[in-house]
Amino acid sequence: MHGYRFASVLVLSILFIFVDLRFAQVDLVRQSLSYVVSPVRSLVSLPGDVVQWSSETFSERNELLDSNRRARSQILVLQQKVQQLSVLEAENERLRRLLNATSRLDNDFITAELISVDPDPFSIQVIVNRGAQEGIYVGQSVVDADGLFGIVVQVDSLTSRIALVADVNFAVPVYVNRNGMRSVVVGTGDLDVLEMEYVTDTADIQIGDMLVTSGLGGRFPAGYPVAEVIAIEHDPGESFAHVRARPLAQLGQARSLLMVFQQQQEPESNE
Amino acid sequence: MSDNKRPAHGLWFIPITFFIAFYLAALPLPGRFEIARPDWVSLMVVFWVLVLPERFGVLVSFCVGLLYDSLVGTPLGLYGAVFSCLAYTILLLHARLKMYPLGQQALVIFLVIGISHIIAAWLKGAVMSTVSGQLHMWPALTSAILWPWVYGINRTLQIRFRVQ
């Protein structure tokens, strides 16, 4: 009797796996299951939250004043940059109109907090506290203060799972900020190293070049910094150079993230 | 004997053990120990199948697997398959395994959990690309080492709460 049950369960689970990989309908099942599991998740993040809360609550007045002062000066610097930015934006808009180009789109975003890191030692994914209820969708890009952080790979009702840029399944279309050369950056599984694919030996690329998302492929919004080139090796035996880059986002440390909503471009494409 | 006629009670204890097992499975560990994290959920499945095979069989293990899938983010059904394989193996070995002393049970559990990890790695490799193909027997080893304690504590509590 156990044998029959086992066989049917096995068939069922293989069916589940394939349906899950092919169709999106299973996401509903997954979301309802995640309600059951969510207390576990919140309990796991509880000690960290308590430590953070208590360190915020019981920290020294001087420290608070200090961090407040630092934050203020940072705001000042940023505001000054924003002032320039608005001028530049307006100028860019005018120039684009002169060129008859479509105007750039601003992206909406919501903030998210990282709540846990995948316990599986062989994958680099994290879980954040925003889910389907906030309108998160699979394929959404996530950035932190310094650059592109990752992409949403799975959405539950209250949380969602993000694959980091350094994931091996990850490839981002980028261009070199200095000269506009297009390329693709892929993850290596190491948090500190990305690789550039198909860069010819003669290509104009230097150590320190910043790589910025190009928006080609329509998956990532254009113009977010991704990585900085840290090493270039030319192997005479190979047709492509071996270029390594360091992700700009704080993959190992960031807690506050921004989830970018890409705007629908249908009305724009008619022009 | 009179216990057998009474309606089942104390079954609430099973979800609680699994809640704890899931908690321990999701708890972040320092990087070096992460590789040797005991497979708590498998241990619980093994325990309940061994102790209550008429209540906790392949189907319940499958449901636990589905929940575990949604916890760790694997395609739904992957750990369902793994845990039902595990439960089925224990059911096959059930009559012998119950007679063994704890040490010998631990040895069998090392093998069984090791095999279930191989199945899990194989399924993962088939349906999603993973970072490394190497297999790690550490979780099976630590699980086997912890088995006598898991069994002892759970068994005591199970008898105490009359989970049947």
Side-chain angles (χ1 to χ4, degrees):
Chain A
M1 187 192 78
H2 289 309
Y4 288 124
R5 223 180 256 178
F6 174 60
S8 53
V9 162
L10 212 56
V11 170
L12 192 69
S13 49
I14 287 168
L15 207 73
F16 257 69
I17 296 175
F18 275 99
V19 172
D20 193 8
L21 289 179
R22 293 279 179 275
F23 306 102
Q25 279 86 340
V26 189
D27 282 357
L28 277 177
V29 182
R30 194 183 265 286
Q31 283 175 22
S32 45
L33 282 178
S34 77
Y35 272 117
V36 185
V37 187
S38 64
V40 176
R41 285 230 182 93
S42 41
L43 201 64
V44 166
S45 59
L46 187 70
D49 290 348
V50 168
V51 167
Q52 204 191 356
W53 175 83
S54 54
S55 72
E56 274 171 10
T57 314
F58 302 116
S59 58
E60 295 269 328
R61 183 168 172 273
N62 292 348
E63 279 174 32
L64 283 178
L65 282 176
D66 211 35
S67 74
N68 206 334
R69 206 171 298 130
R70 239 178 298 129
R72 267 172 210 281
S73 61
Q74 208 172 359
I75 286 178
L76 211 62
V77 172
L78 290 176
Q79 269 177 340
Q80 188 255 344
K81 276 191 183 164
V82 167
Q83 283 176 16
Q84 288 179 341
L85 196 69
S86 61
V87 175
L88 285 177
E89 222 169 53
E91 184 183 338
N92 185 292
E93 178 77 10
R94 271 200 306 279
L95 291 174
R96 274 177 172 271
R97 215 176 296 142
L98 281 179
L99 289 170
N100 253 342
T102 57
S103 61
R104 271 174 177 280
L105 295 167
D106 269 344
N107 290 310
D108 278 342
F109 53 81
I110 58 172
T111 57
E113 286 275 309
L114 191 149
I115 53 174
S116 73
V117 178
D118 197 326
D120 185 350
F122 301 120
S123 81
I124 11 182
Q125 297 186 346
V126 298
I127 295 160
V128 298
N129 65 347
R130 301 283 179 185
Q133 290 189 351
E134 279 92 0
I136 304 301
Y137 54 90
V138 172
Q140 189 169 6
S141 334
V142 180
V143 298
D144 77 349
D146 300 312
L148 186 72
F149 189 79
I151 191 166
V152 176
V153 288
Q154 180 197 324
V155 180
D156 293 333
S157 43
L158 299 170
T159 58
S160 52
R161 181 174 287 268
I162 294 169
L164 303 193
V165 202
D167 198 295
V168 276
N169 300 327
F170 213 90
V172 190
V174 293
Y175 65 85
V176 177
N177 200 25
R178 185 167 50 84
N179 56 11
M181 188 188 81
R182 289 189 307 277
S183 177
V184 173
V185 160
V186 295
T188 57
D190 182 348
L191 278 188
D192 298 324
V193 181
L194 305 178
E195 270 176 13
M196 265 176 106
E197 297 245 295
Y198 312 124
V199 179
T200 48
D201 270 331
T202 52
D204 175 19
I205 189 158
Q206 297 168 3
I207 288 176
D209 276 348
M210 192 204 267
L211 307 175
V212 180
T213 51
S214 63
L216 294 178
R219 176 134 269 196
F220 298 98
Y224 283 98
V226 179
E228 187 189 47
V229 176
I230 50 169
I232 305 167
E233 288 164 24
H234 296 289
D235 184 349
E238 287 179 30
S239 44
F240 295 114
H242 195 69
V243 181
R244 271 176 296 159
R246 180 180 58 83
L248 289 169
Q250 307 284 317
L251 297 184
Q253 302 155 25
R255 274 189 75 89
S256 310
L257 305 169
L258 295 177
M259 317 203 55
V260 184
F261 289 96
Q262 269 185 293
Q263 279 169 1
Q264 301 297 317
Q265 304 208 340
E266 273 93 61
E268 239 70 22
S269 59
N270 295 335
E271 290 178 16
Chain B
M1 276 294 112
S2 65
D3 273 359
N4 284 345
K5 293 206 179 87
R6 266 198 274 172
H9 64 299
L11 285 180
W12 51 266
F13 185 60
I14 299 180
I16 287 182
T17 56
F18 274 104
F19 185 82
I20 295 169
F22 273 50
Y23 173 70
L24 291 172
L27 200 67
L29 287 181
R32 215 170 306 139
F33 302 105
E34 193 113 335
I35 280 188
R37 179 201 295 276
D39 194 344
W40 297 102
V41 184
S42 294
L43 279 177
M44 285 301 166
V45 169
V46 170
F47 174 80
W48 287 114
V49 173
L50 194 65
V51 172
L52 288 178
E54 64 280 1
R55 293 223 181 274
F56 201 99
V58 174
L59 279 176
V60 187
S61 309
F62 174 69
C63 297
V64 170
L66 287 188
L67 286 178
Y68 193 63
D69 276 325
S70 76
L71 181 76
V72 299
T74 40
L76 217 57
L78 196 146
Y79 273 100
V82 172
F83 285 157
S84 50
C85 285
L86 185 67
Y88 185 60
T89 324
I90 298 294
L91 282 173
L92 288 183
L93 298 173
H94 185 258
R96 262 174 289 170
L97 207 52
K98 276 207 113 165
M99 308 298 291
Y100 287 162
L102 275 180
Q104 211 170 338
Q105 278 184 354
L107 207 67
V108 175
I109 277 157
F110 170 72
L111 288 178
V112 170
I113 292 188
I115 290 169
S116 80
H117 276 251
I118 293 173
I119 296 174
W122 181 70
L123 280 174
K124 275 185 199 166
V127 297
M128 49 198 249
S129 37
T130 41
V131 175
S132 89
Q134 67 210 114
L135 210 61
H136 288 269
M137 280 290 124
W138 286 109
L141 187 66
T142 48
S143 308
I145 291 171
L146 282 171
W147 170 251
W149 286 275
V150 170
Y151 184 83
I153 295 169
N154 269 328
R155 183 74 181 158
T156 317
L157 291 173
Q158 184 238 339
I159 291 169
R160 172 101 188 259
F161 294 124
R162 295 215 185 99
V163 187
Q164 296 166 2

